């Protein structure tokens, strides 16, 4: 089954816009994990530090659900890694990581939905718990209007390792949409939101039209109960071709990193294996 999107063009409306979650909605998997892997490869932190990210990615991909505390821990852990680094340095690395790890993981079907809104003259924002620097790069490279994301505190162009406010997650997304709507002259009743996660119920409920994309079990149940449209680009042969190998590769990644960490503990004089040798691409 090929992934095809055939749509009616949304009616032009300057007060209408579309909001897309990122992880497993716009891209396959968790953007924070792809960012972490890219930073490991660029010596921002150690391969062993990736283990926690790998386990959270396994849960996300295999179990199909997000853990709010796990997400918060991951963001705080990543912020601690970038503390003391220059913001322009991370921005440049995010550009590289988009090309090497994220561009090929964009869901074509979801991107087509975003393009329909743009073609109708509507603005399109990403709304994600990922660092805003990465979110803005993804939005710009996909030709979207902009992005709302988690903001890391900075002083004199250097990250402090702290958050400005909280995570762009759950209720925070809905609150951010209301602020954006007031600033941009949008009527949220005329807007559309797309997400895969039941954790985004506040955002989905804040707009006139909610669409579940690649939904987790919780959101699928809610969408059916409320009569929301469901789009699943993981089904059929496409899912067998992409989903299963990716899940297996993710599990292998976690095992490879665990083995590398254990080996380093047993033999301190032996350096950990290079990421490209120890970990398969996912």
């Amino acid at each position: 089954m090929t992934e095809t999107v055939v749509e009616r063009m949304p009616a032009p409306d300057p007060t209408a816009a579309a909001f897309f979650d990122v992880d497993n909605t716009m891209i396959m998997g968790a953007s924070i994990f792809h960012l972490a892997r890219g930073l490991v490869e660029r010596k921002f932190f150690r391969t062993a530090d990736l283990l926690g990210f790998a386990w959270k990615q396994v849960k996300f991909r295999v179990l199909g659900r997000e853990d709010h505390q796990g997400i918060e821990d991951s963001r705080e852990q990543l912020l601690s890694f970038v503390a003391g680094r220059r913001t322009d340095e991370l921005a440049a690395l995010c550009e590289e990581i988009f090309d090497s790890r994220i561009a090929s993981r964009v869901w074509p079907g979801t991107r087509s939905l975003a393009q329909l809104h743009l073609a109708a003259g509507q603005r399109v924002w990403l709304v994600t718990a990922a660092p805003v620097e990465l979110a803005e790069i993804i939005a710009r490279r996909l030709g979207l209007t902009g992005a709302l994301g988690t903001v890391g505190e900075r002083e004199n162009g250097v990250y402090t390792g702290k958050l400005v406010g909280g995570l762009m997650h759950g209720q925070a997304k809905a609150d951010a949409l209301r602020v954006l709507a007031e600033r941009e002259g949008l009527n949220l009743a005329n807007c559309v939101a797309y997400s895969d996660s039941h954790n985004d119920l506040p955002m989905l409920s804040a707009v006139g039209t909610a669409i579940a994309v690649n939904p987790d079990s919780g959101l699928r149940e809610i969408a059916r109960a409320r009569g929301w449209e469901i789009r699943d680009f993981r089904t059929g042969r496409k899912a067998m071709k992409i989903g299963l190998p990716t899940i297996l590769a993710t599990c292998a990644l976690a095992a490879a990193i665990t083995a590398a960490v254990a080996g380093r503990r047993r033999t301190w004089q032996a350096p950990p294996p290079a990421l490209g040798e120890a970990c398969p691409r996912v």
Side-chain angles (χ1 to χ4, degrees), residues 139-156:
R140 176 167 50 79
R141 298 293 287 273
L142 295 181
L144 309 183
T145 307
L148 303 174
T150 298
V151 179
E153 184 182 70
R154 61 194 74 183
E155 292 181 358
N156 300 318

Side-chain angles (χ1 to χ4, degrees), residues 21 23-25 60 66 194-198 213-216 219:
D21 173 49
D23 295 351
N24 212 37
T25 302
F60 180 74
E66 296 178 357
Y194 301 81
S195 177
D196 72 294
S197 174
H198 68 280
V213 176
N214 304 329
D216 61 24
L219 181 57

Side-chain angles (χ1 to χ4, degrees), residues 16-185:
F19 306 102
F20 286 81
D21 173 49
V22 173
D23 295 351
N24 212 37
T25 302
M26 183 60 73
I27 69 170
M28 305 172 192
S31 56
I32 190 70
F33 180 79
H34 299 316
L35 175 60
R37 283 199 66 184
L39 292 179
V40 166
E41 292 174 335
R42 290 157 179 82
K43 312 301 183 184
F44 245 60
F45 53 97
R46 301 170 304 157
T47 302
D49 294 322
L50 189 58
L51 180 58
F53 289 99
W55 171 237
K56 291 178 178 67
Q57 176 75 345
V58 169
K59 290 196 295 183
F60 180 74
R61 297 305 299 272
V62 178
L63 303 182
R65 65 170 182 263
E66 296 178 357
D67 174 1
H68 177 71
Q69 187 59 48
I71 292 172
E72 186 168 1
D73 291 345
S74 292
R75 266 66 182 189
E76 290 182 352
Q77 185 180 13
L78 188 62
L79 282 170
S80 70
F81 293 145
V82 301
R85 299 277 189 167
R86 292 192 55 80
T87 57
D88 54 1
E89 178 186 13
L90 182 62
L93 291 174
C94 284
E95 293 277 6
E96 296 178 11
I97 292 168
F98 177 87
D99 289 328
S100 63
R101 296 204 163 274
I102 296 176
S104 62
R105 292 174 171 84
V106 175
W107 288 106
T110 310
R111 186 173 188 176
S112 294
L113 292 172
Q115 291 298 320
L116 283 169
H117 290 281
L118 292 171
Q122 298 176 9
R123 287 163 285 180
V124 178
W125 278 275
L126 299 180
V127 188
T128 175
V132 68
E133 292 84 356
L134 179 62
E136 288 174 344
I137 287 170
I138 295 173
R140 176 167 50 79
R141 298 293 287 273
L142 295 181
L144 309 183
T145 307
L148 303 174
T150 298
V151 179
E153 184 182 70
R154 61 194 74 183
E155 292 181 358
N156 300 318
V158 175
Y159 289 106
T160 66
K162 300 177 182 179
L163 286 176
V164 175
L167 289 171
M168 186 63 67
H169 189 262
Q171 183 60 42
K173 288 189 176 182
D175 295 340
L177 257 59
R178 294 187 179 96
V179 173
L180 180 68
E182 182 175 356
R183 187 186 77 201
E184 299 290 333

Side-chain angles (χ1 to χ4, degrees), residues 187-250:
N187 182 351
L188 288 180
N190 298 335
C191 294
V192 185
Y194 301 81
S195 177
D196 72 294
S197 174
H198 68 280
N199 290 316
D200 282 338
L201 185 58
M203 177 178 77
L204 294 169
S205 301
V207 298
T209 303
I211 298 178
V213 176
N214 304 329
D216 61 24
S217 58
L219 181 57
R220 185 179 293 275
E221 183 177 344
I222 292 170
R224 287 172 173 168
R226 298 191 180 189
W228 291 349
E229 187 175 354
I230 297 174
R231 297 297 184 91
D232 199 330
F233 301 119
R234 303 166 300 183
T235 56
R237 296 176 65 183
K238 182 75 171 180
M240 291 302 295
K241 182 178 180 181
I242 294 178
L244 183 58
T246 303
I247 289 172
L248 294 176
T250 302

